[in-house]
Amino acid sequence: MDDEQRRQDDWAKDRKNRLPTFTEVLSRRTRPPVDLFMFYLFLQREGAEDILDFWLDVQQHENLCRAYFKDVRKSGRTIREDWPEYWDYARRRGSIYGTVVGLNPHTGTKRSTASTGEMLSDQDRQNLAASGDEKYAARSPSPRVRSVSPGGNTAVGTTEPPRSTTPFSLSGRTPTLFKRASRAPTIIPRSQAITRQDLIASAERIYYRYLSPAGNTPGSTENHEIYLPPALRIHTFPLSSTHEPKSQSEIALMAQIPDMFHSQKEYCYRAMEQDAFPRFLRAKAFGNLTPVSALVRLIAGLVILWIGLAVGFSLIFLDVHPKSKRFFLFIPYTIAILFLVSHQYELDPVLVFLGQSESTPFRTLSIREPYVKKLLFGRAIWVTVLVAACSVALTMIFWAVPGHRL
């Protein structure tokens, strides 16, 4: 625990004067409110959390494959001896596991062996793997459903749900207020040696959950299929985890299992990095409110402002004395303007001064990222000055107007 805390402190010092990168967020090097947990909640509000789920599950699948290759090498056998079909495939087409399986990275393969997974250290990969990470399993709202058996094919003429047209399309998604219940992440069992059937089962689960329109849970209206360009779509998964491949075609297809989702994973990574992540930083590094909370503040601010204006005009047209009673209008005006400005900037200065940021509506957590804390504190000071100036100006206007009883 002390080593983990020390690493977090070192990473935080490295980001003392900058915002975190997307890779740092995925590898859990960041702290609230710009950590992986908050990024997942942000995508969940947009109905796009399946993209992050897919990336994490494929990363876990790749970790499983790496563990299999390492187990083989520890047993004293080479990958070429244990799995000649994969060795031949990786030698001809290239593989992201080149250094693990013993391929020479300078032999000139067709596929690049670099990936977003290679940006992460071994410790980061352990952090991303759901197995052995009880803290994330306890706090993550990541939903998991049962895998659909691949035995049944979609009947001809069956009406399928419409496909998404962009990676962050909201069509077919469940509204935020009606999200499905949280479940723990998928766990990779390590009580026994990993087999090739385990790799097939992992790939099968990913395919039928995220890539197949027929992979939705029967009787459910939820759609977990993610958008992919036509060139990256996988239309069939002919292998099954219930029996070992026997024909030559099945054995050849099994050799593609370790690298099957790599291109799709890279596409999702770039889509999140270029689309969702900048909006996430804008929402959490420059504000501390959720959209629902900001909307509630807008409504409350308008109501309180209406009450304040009604009382102010009543004091004027009833010519209430002493005139100094009008200074009490400062209270409703300050509260109303604070709520309205907080909605406009999506930032509550009171919460910032208390070191809090909203995770879900009206639920807060401590701001622990140093640079984000500095940014929010500066914006909170500006919002406070703006609220004070507007409140004083509005109060002085109502105080200066001469009374006239109707």
Side-chain angles (χ1 to χ4, degrees):
M1 185 65 183
D2 293 338
D3 293 340
E4 178 66 23
Q5 185 63 38
R6 195 157 41 245
R7 277 196 300 270
Q8 289 287 343
D9 293 340
D10 292 340
W11 291 332
K13 289 179 182 178
D14 183 55
R15 298 187 305 274
K16 189 175 181 180
N17 295 307
R18 66 172 177 86
L19 290 171
T21 64
F22 187 46
T23 301
E24 290 173 333
V25 172
L26 286 181
S27 58
R28 299 183 191 174
R29 300 182 189 177
T30 57
R31 295 174 171 177
V34 288
D35 58 347
L36 183 61
F37 175 69
M38 294 292 287
F39 183 58
Y40 188 92
L41 291 179
F42 176 81
L43 291 180
Q44 193 178 62
R45 284 197 294 270
E46 296 190 344
E49 74 276 12
D50 288 329
I51 299 175
L52 179 57
D53 276 337
F54 173 76
W55 192 94
L56 292 172
D57 281 352
V58 174
Q59 179 68 31
Q60 184 173 261
H61 172 74
E62 293 178 355
N63 289 340
L64 183 68
C65 294
R66 285 189 181 92
Y68 170 78
F69 293 137
K70 289 180 180 179
D71 287 348
V72 171
R73 300 188 70 178
K74 287 180 181 178
S75 68
R77 304 185 65 191
T78 64
I79 305 301
R80 187 173 187 175
E81 296 170 346
D82 180 78
W83 197 352
E85 294 83 9
Y86 172 74
W87 172 269
D88 183 63
Y89 173 83
R91 185 175 55 84
R92 289 185 293 102
R93 300 287 299 275
S95 173
I96 62 172
Y97 312 98
T99 57
V100 180
V101 301
L103 289 175
N104 186 351
H106 303 292
T107 55
T109 55
K110 294 182 180 180
R111 179 188 300 174
S112 171
T113 57
S115 69
T116 54
E118 297 301 321
M119 301 176 187
L120 311 178
S121 65
D122 291 337
Q123 180 63 37
D124 297 334
R125 291 196 188 99
Q126 293 176 12
N127 289 341
L128 281 171
S131 57
D133 195 346
E134 298 177 358
K135 181 179 180 182
Y136 179 72
R139 71 181 291 195
S140 172
S142 175
R144 308 285 166 180
V145 298
R146 300 186 305 273
S147 298
V148 178
S149 174
N153 298 324
T154 305
V156 177
T158 301
T159 303
E160 297 180 354
R163 301 178 71 97
S164 302
T165 56
T166 64
F168 297 97
S169 172
L170 297 181
S171 96
R173 303 290 186 182
T174 306
T176 304
L177 296 179
F178 302 96
K179 281 294 175 186
R180 53 194 176 274
S182 303
R183 296 192 183 183
T186 306
I187 302 299
I188 299 177
R190 288 290 285 163
S191 58
Q192 57 186 359
I194 298 174
T195 65
R196 294 181 206 172
Q197 287 302 111
D198 294 330
L199 306 186
I200 294 177
S202 173
E204 183 182 59
R205 181 173 57 249
I206 291 173
Y207 173 78
Y208 282 100
R209 177 173 171 82
Y210 301 107
L211 304 182
S212 171
N216 302 326
T217 304
S220 174
T221 59
E222 294 176 335
N223 181 16
H224 301 283
E225 182 194 9
I226 63 171
Y227 169 82
L228 290 173
L232 294 178
R233 292 174 187 168
I234 301 175
H235 299 286
T236 60
F237 191 85
L239 301 178
S240 174
S241 59
T242 58
H243 64 273
E244 295 185 6
K246 295 181 179 179
S247 66
Q248 288 298 324
S249 60
E250 290 180 340
I251 293 175
L253 286 171
M254 188 174 67
Q256 304 177 23
I257 289 295
D259 298 285
M260 175 170 284
F261 306 112
H262 178 66
S263 298
Q264 292 80 0
K265 173 192 170 188
E266 293 297 291
Y267 173 81
C268 291
Y269 177 92
R270 299 304 174 192
M272 289 189 291
E273 183 182 42
Q274 297 171 11
D275 189 347
F277 186 64
R279 290 185 282 110
F280 167 70
L281 289 182
R282 172 66 183 84
K284 292 304 175 183
F286 297 93
N288 66 341
L289 297 179
T290 59
V292 173
S293 179
L295 180 61
V296 170
R297 281 170 169 78
L298 173 63
I299 297 173
L302 291 175
V303 171
I304 296 174
L305 181 62
W306 179 81
I307 294 174
L309 291 175
V311 173
F313 282 114
S314 298
L315 293 177
I316 291 174
F317 292 118
L318 292 176
D319 195 18
V320 176
H321 291 283
K323 196 176 180 181
S324 59
K325 289 184 178 180
R326 299 185 192 178
F327 284 119
F328 286 101
L329 293 172
F330 181 81
I331 297 176
Y333 291 161
T334 300
I335 297 175
I337 294 175
L338 173 63
F339 284 171
L340 294 176
V341 174
S342 295
H343 166 266
Q344 181 65 27
Y345 285 87
E346 293 187 349
L347 183 142
D348 189 327
V350 177
L351 289 179
V352 173
F353 293 142
L354 294 175
Q356 300 293 307
S357 178
E358 285 192 342
S359 55
T360 55
F362 310 110
R363 293 186 178 182
T364 62
L365 45 73
S366 298
I367 303 172
R368 298 173 55 201
E369 187 71 20
Y371 188 62
V372 172
K373 183 182 293 186
K374 183 167 65 175
L375 286 176
L376 291 176
F377 191 77
R379 285 173 61 85
I381 292 177
W382 158 247
V383 169
T384 302
V385 171
L386 182 61
V387 169
C390 292
S391 301
V392 170
L394 194 57
T395 302
M396 293 304 296
I397 289 174
F398 274 85
W399 173 82
V401 173
H404 179 74
R405 188 174 184 86
L406 296 180

